[in-house]
């Protein structure tokens, strides 16, 4: 778990700090899942599945940016957070469009 969090850009932290960060990430994903469920209406998957898709897309986007990112003058942590949010929401919208 610690190596996964370090892979997406979090520093090496004590266990309590890691638990707090993970809880904040989960609560934020649930909030975005709920908001996207309101916005998508019948095209959504429900709050929990929306939150799961946002988390998976966010981790994938942050990992890909960490692996293949282009150096910029923008703060790397803020840019990684924006990329993670955008890729999570992108995955949710793509899944809603191609829903059977």
């Amino acid at each position: 778990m610690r190596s996964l969090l370090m892979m997406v850009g979090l520093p090496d932290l004590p266990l309590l700090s890691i638990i707090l960060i993970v809880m904040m990430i989960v609560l934020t994903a649930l909030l975005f899942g709920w908001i996207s469920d309101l916005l998508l209406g019948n095209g959504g998957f429900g709050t929990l599945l929306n939150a799961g898709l946002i988390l998976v897309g966010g981790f994938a986007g942050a990992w890909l940016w960490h692996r293949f990112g282009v150096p910029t003058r923008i703060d790397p942590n803020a840019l990684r957070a924006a990329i993670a949010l955008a890729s999570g929401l992108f995955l949710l919208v793509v899944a809603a469009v191609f829903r059977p």
Side-chain angles (χ1 to χ4, degrees):
M1 173 91 168
R2 183 171 286 192
S3 61
L4 176 67
L5 293 175
M6 288 178 66
M7 184 173 34
V8 295
L10 293 174
D12 190 20
L13 298 170
L15 183 62
L16 183 61
S17 297
I18 289 175
I19 290 172
L20 289 173
I21 288 173
V22 168
M23 289 305 298
M24 288 184 348
I25 290 171
V26 168
L27 289 176
T28 305
L30 285 172
L31 177 70
F32 278 115
W34 177 66
I35 291 171
S36 63
D37 193 43
L38 290 176
L39 293 175
L40 291 174
N42 290 336
F45 300 100
T47 303
L48 291 177
L49 193 55
N50 285 349
L53 284 171
I54 290 172
L55 279 176
V56 168
F59 275 113
W63 179 77
L64 286 172
W65 184 259
H66 180 72
R67 180 94 169 125
F68 302 111
V70 178
T72 62
R73 294 183 182 192
I74 300 172
D75 180 32
N77 293 327
L79 185 62
R80 188 176 295 136
I83 295 282
L85 176 63
S87 61
L89 293 176
F90 178 74
L91 178 65
L92 180 66
V93 169
V94 167
V97 167
F98 292 115
R99 183 178 185 181

